[in-house]
Amino acid sequence: ILRYYGRDLDQHELAQLVQTSATKGTDPETMVDVLRKLSVPLGFKIQEIEQFTVPGFLRLVAKYNVLARASGKAVITYGNPIDLDAIYQAMDIALLRDVRLKQKAGYGDFRACVDKYIRLGLPLVWTVVVGKIAEQPAIQGSGGHMRLIVGLNQRTAELLYSDSWGPGHELKRMALEDAWTITHGLYLIEPRHTTL
């Protein structure tokens, strides 16, 4: 995104600044904090549109468990500390999708927001949980991940995104409902002179 706006900072420099780990990845909160510190000298601003919070996640689990009990599926339990990856992997994808899509306002806001910024030529940083939705080419493993939303096909209700996973992942598509199902966060990075 920064290169798209003509800023001279590549992913390797950014990874060092946010102390990305080969085993633990990048903490989204740290990423946002570092980007905020860089925003003035590099002339951009960052807006959190959709943000992951532990209380919000626990409400999601509670709603999931209501549907799980009603359908005779296993409920989700967790300890302290909470293992997000283990919880997501234990969730039935159909039930998780139902819970997320019942948040009609959230889903509608997500769709409208993606449409608005893509039409303005502004890509979005998208944080997700991978390993729940089948993708082509496939993603190996599970857990939190960041991607770049670059388009929205309103006719087919598909999100177009780019992934840093490697060759073959530069431009991918996912049903918008599936995209919302796995969304953790959504961020806008834009030049400071842009007014929306």
Side-chain angles (χ1 to χ4, degrees), residues 20 68 80 97 146 150 165 181:
T20 295
N80 192 4
R97 184 182 288 111
M146 284 185 178
V150 296
W165 208 270
T181 298

Side-chain angles (χ1 to χ4, degrees), residues 66-79:
V66 168
L67 282 184
R69 283 186 194 95
S71 62
K73 303 244 179 179
V75 297
I76 300 298
T77 59
Y78 52 87

Side-chain angles (χ1 to χ4, degrees), residues 3-4 52-53 114 133 192:
R3 280 200 314 265
Y4 176 73
F52 175 86
T53 66
V114 169
I133 301 292
R192 283 195 171 273

Side-chain angles (χ1 to χ4, degrees), residues 29-58:
E29 288 180 28
T30 303
M31 173 74 86
V32 171
D33 289 343
V34 167
L35 286 173
R36 282 210 168 96
K37 290 174 187 166
L38 293 171
S39 66
V40 172
L42 291 178
F44 68 85
K45 54 188 173 182
I46 183 167
Q47 176 186 346
E48 294 175 73
I49 299 166
E50 179 80 25
Q51 182 182 17
F52 175 86
T53 66
V54 173
F57 177 72
L58 295 179

Side-chain angles (χ1 to χ4, degrees), residues 22-172:
T23 56
K24 295 182 181 177
T26 304
D27 175 61
E29 288 180 28
T30 303
M31 173 74 86
V32 171
D33 289 343
V34 167
L35 286 173
R36 282 210 168 96
K37 290 174 187 166
L38 293 171
S39 66
V40 172
L42 291 178
F44 68 85
K45 54 188 173 182
I46 183 167
Q47 176 186 346
E48 294 175 73
I49 299 166
E50 179 80 25
Q51 182 182 17
F52 175 86
T53 66
V54 173
F57 177 72
L58 295 179
R59 284 191 297 275
L60 173 76
V61 171
K63 290 175 183 177
Y64 176 93
N65 283 340
V66 168
L67 282 184
R69 283 186 194 95
S71 62
K73 303 244 179 179
V75 297
I76 300 298
T77 59
Y78 52 87
N80 192 4
I82 298 170
D83 185 340
L84 294 176
D85 188 40
I87 292 172
Y88 271 114
Q89 294 316 307
M91 287 178 161
D92 176 87
I93 187 58
L95 287 182
L96 177 58
R97 184 182 288 111
D98 285 349
V99 170
R100 291 289 282 162
L101 291 174
K102 283 185 179 187
Q103 301 170 344
K104 292 189 187 307
Y107 174 65
D109 289 348
F110 175 74
R111 184 175 186 151
C113 185
V114 169
D115 183 55
K116 172 184 175 180
Y117 292 119
I118 291 302
R119 286 180 188 273
L120 291 169
L122 301 171
L124 295 160
V125 177
W126 178 38
T127 60
V128 299
V129 59
V130 295
K132 292 305 291 180
I133 301 292
E135 300 183 40
Q136 290 301 322
I139 294 284
Q140 301 300 315
S142 61
H145 190 52
M146 284 185 178
R147 295 174 161 163
L148 185 64
I149 296 176
V150 296
L152 176 64
N153 185 327
Q154 287 284 10
R155 187 179 55 78
T156 62
E158 286 181 310
L159 193 72
L160 283 71
Y161 63 99
S162 180
D163 197 317
S164 61
W165 208 270
H169 298 273
E170 301 87 354
L171 181 60
K172 298 175 76 170

